[in-house]
Each structure stands twice: as C-alpha cells, then as structure tokens.
Amino acid sequence: QVQLVESGGGLVQAGASLRLSCAASGLSISNYAMGWFRQTPGKGREFVAAVSGADGTVYADSVKGRFTISRDTAKNFVYLQMNSLKPEDTAVYYCASSSRALIVVGRWKDFGNWGQGTQVTVSS
C-alpha cells in the first residue's frame, strides 16, 4: 500500500522560502515519477512540479525559476524547495506518485496516489 506523507508547510511572508518534504512508503520512488500539486478553495488541483524516474523535471510556468523538485532515492523522499514565495502560492500542497516512470505533460491522471496535503500560506 502506497503512503505519502507531506510536511514542511507553514505561514511565511512574501519573498521567503520553504522546503516541503514527502516521505514515501510502499513504493520505490526511483521507479516512478513523483509530483507536487496544489489546490486552493474553489479551484481544482493544479500541477506544480514533477520528477521522472530518470531524474527529468517539469515545472508549471508559474513556479519555474523559483521552485525546485528533487528526490533522495536512498531515503525515499521527495522535496519541493520553494523560493521567492508569493501570496498567489498560497495553497494546500500535495505529493503524488505516478503509475509511470516517465512524465507525460498534461497526463496528470497518471498520478493516482496522494498524500494528505500540507498548507502553505504566504502573506503580503
């Protein structure tokens, strides 16, 4: 059974940094693409970043150059380093695992396992 547990969220001011962590169990993250998504009230879940089984990365345009996804396959952790945070980054952030090693941009339904989410709030 796949379990994903996020941590690292919090309340910060605009311009600050946060690092989210995702502890994965029940799968080896080296074999699957892993991703981060976010959701705000009234909006659907939005893709943020993903890392493939071959360490390729994909980012949403809104976070490119500010966020970095990485993984530690020895610890089975995935991270999202978020720099230069903006109020519009406020959301619940979810870690997700894909059924594939590759990332197919736009095919977010491949990400079928989800964590419980961690709240990130950025004040202006």
Side-chain angles (χ1 to χ4, degrees):
Q1 182 180 356
V2 175
Q3 282 196 315
L4 304 171
V5 180
E6 303 96 335
S7 61
L11 170 63
V12 296
Q13 290 190 323
S17 298
L18 277 176
R19 189 176 83 152
L20 305 183
S21 299
C22 173
S25 59
L27 84 166
S28 174
I29 64 169
S30 59
N31 295 329
Y32 299 96
M34 300 293 295
W36 287 96
F37 295 75
R38 64 189 182 186
Q39 187 167 18
T40 54
K43 292 181 67 175
R45 203 162 285 185
E46 172 190 30
F47 168 74
V48 175
V51 56
S52 73
D55 269 340
T57 55
V58 178
Y59 295 93
D61 288 343
S62 59
V63 306
K64 206 171 289 184
R66 300 187 298 122
F67 290 11
T68 303
I69 187 171
S70 62
R71 58 182 187 165
D72 184 332
T73 55
K75 295 181 179 179
N76 230 31
F77 269 71
V78 183
Y79 303 100
L80 185 68
Q81 178 66 43
M82 304 186 296
N83 298 330
S84 302
L85 283 162
K86 304 175 181 180
E88 51 263 43
D89 294 318
T90 295
V92 177
Y93 284 72
Y94 296 90
C95 176
S97 65
S98 173
S99 58
R100 302 169 181 260
L102 297 176
I103 301 166
V104 180
V105 175
R107 194 183 167 98
W108 308 130
K109 65 180 180 179
D110 286 344
F111 290 84
N113 295 304
W114 299 85
Q116 83 287 350
T118 186
Q119 177 71 46
V120 172
T121 303
V122 184
S123 63
S124 57

